[in-house]
Amino acid sequence: MSIFSKIVTALRGGASEVGESIVDANLVRIMDQEIRDSKAAVEKARSGLADLMAEEAGYKRKVTELQDKIEEYEGYAIQALDKGDEPLAIEIAEKIADLSAELDYNTSATTQLSNSIATQKDFMRTSERKVKDFEREAKMVKTTESVQKTAAALSSNFTATGSKMNSARQSLERVKARQQQNADRLKAGEALAAESTGSNLAAKLASSGIAKNSGQASDILAKLKAKQKK
Amino acid sequence: MSNKLLTKLEQIEQDKLVIEFELQPMPNNDEIIQVIVKDQEEFPINITQTDGEMICMVKLFDAEELKDGASSDMHEVMLSANLALPLSSFGKIGATYMLFGALSANSKNENIGIEIETLAGNTLEAIDLVADYLK
């Protein structure tokens, strides 16, 4: 049975007290071990991959060098033939043959390394996915356990206080009624506050500029200044 | 772990960024913190933190509150509603129906606040939605 179906079975079973586990503790330990092992394998593969890629780069460089050299010696051979120096041309041709053999070796080494690198990358990807899978499963187990504990705590909490929980329907109605009441109270309060300060109309008049508060400091100051000038 | 969670929640409570609520530790389980939302004390939000995840759960009702033979239809409604409910989903543990939301454990306080607010609102919507199936 997969871990996920075990988890679902556990959740269907209901709340679980602290300490009780959906999967036995051994399995959790094994999962943690697998995660560690797979992670180590990925790390090892990663450093191995770096080595292989460095090696491949070296062989590739060698291939380019050899190709250049062969081209260079081919030029020499043609020049020797142009001069009619057959023995020198043969000597150069032998050198070219040696270089070609070396090129073949390096080319095939490059190909082999490229294949190894591809394989290694595949392995790494697979291992990384495995790690992710293990981690996901471990998380599932831990999450489920804590969700079950929460459910258990919820039910025992209500029985502990001795108050049988009301039905969801009744609770909803009560909540709605209370919220409505609060909203009404808030509205009434606002209206009352506006009235009691008498500020409602006065504020409107003031803001529209119809009625002005003559007691304002700025107005008084203006009057005083006017008097001073006279 | 839950101390860190408690500190976070206390900060959110003090910041008053969202609806008013009170925090109440669970007497029998220190891994869970109850968030009592003002004016809907009947539906406390239970927050617990596990590896990388924070789960906020509200108990809706027990299966025994369902009318006879209503569960199948109600499940259909719940599955469809799951997609439409912002941030929250229906769940079931044993015989208990839940509404829950999950966040990354690294969530900012602001987002946890939004989760609490949304879940509180969704709870009332959710029960309203299936009220016809309840006794």
Side-chain angles (χ1 to χ4, degrees), chain A residues 11-15 18 139 142-143 146-154 156-158 164-169 171-172 174-176 178-179 182, chain B residues 26-29 31-32 34 39-43 46 48 50-51 53 55 57 59-61 64-65 92-94 98 124 127-128 131-132 134-135:
Chain A
L11 285 174
R12 291 186 72 173
V18 184
K139 263 183 199 165
K142 284 170 190 162
T143 304
S146 99
V147 161
Q148 279 187 310
K149 278 183 206 165
T150 308
L154 282 188
S156 54
N157 196 32
F158 281 109
K164 170 95 180 91
M165 200 188 172
N166 283 294
S167 82
R169 218 181 155 85
S171 298
L172 177 68
R174 222 179 20 243
V175 167
K176 276 184 170 173
R178 194 161 54 229
Q179 287 185 345
N182 279 344
Chain B
M26 289 289 248
N28 46 2
N29 191 326
E31 285 175 41
I32 305 159
Q34 266 197 343
D39 283 342
Q40 56 182 80
E41 291 81 355
E42 283 83 353
F43 301 103
N46 303 276
T48 177
T50 62
D51 276 14
E53 205 180 2
I55 303 178
M57 290 195 288
K59 178 181 172 173
L60 296 178
F61 45 81
E64 62 183 27
E65 290 181 45
K92 194 183 177 201
I93 302 174
M98 304 263 182
L124 303 185
I127 297 174
D128 223 5
D132 287 347
L134 297 173
K135 277 177 195 162

Side-chain angles (χ1 to χ4, degrees), chain A residues 8 14 17 21 42 49 61 65 81-82 100 102 110 117 119 121-122 128 161 164 188 200:
Chain A
V8 173
E17 290 300 334
S21 180
V42 169
L49 184 64
R61 202 166 38 243
E65 275 171 26
L81 285 175
D82 285 347
S100 296
E102 213 181 320
T110 309
I117 287 168
T119 315
K121 276 183 177 168
D122 270 351
E128 270 173 349
T161 55
K164 170 95 180 91
N200 206 354

Side-chain angles (χ1 to χ4, degrees), chain A residues 26-107:
Chain A
N26 252 340
L27 186 57
V28 176
R29 254 199 305 281
I30 291 168
M31 278 165 69
D32 283 342
Q33 186 59 47
E34 300 246 31
I35 291 170
R36 271 196 298 278
D37 288 351
S38 303
K39 270 187 174 164
V42 169
E43 271 325 299
K44 214 173 149 194
R46 201 190 303 281
S47 77
L49 184 64
D51 289 347
L52 285 178
M53 285 167 84
E55 216 177 321
E56 189 201 24
Y59 277 108
K60 274 186 174 162
R61 202 166 38 243
K62 193 88 197 188
V63 165
T64 324
E65 275 171 26
L66 286 167
Q67 281 167 340
D68 289 349
K69 231 176 202 163
I70 287 169
E71 218 172 293
E72 185 189 332
Y73 277 92
E74 278 172 353
Y76 294 152
I78 287 166
Q79 282 177 40
L81 285 175
D82 285 347
K83 283 185 180 162
D85 191 344
E86 189 82 18
L88 182 60
I90 287 172
E91 212 176 304
I92 295 169
E94 274 165 3
K95 173 78 180 169
I96 293 174
D98 285 351
L99 288 171
S100 296
E102 213 181 320
L103 177 65
D104 285 348
Y105 168 75
N106 280 288
T107 310

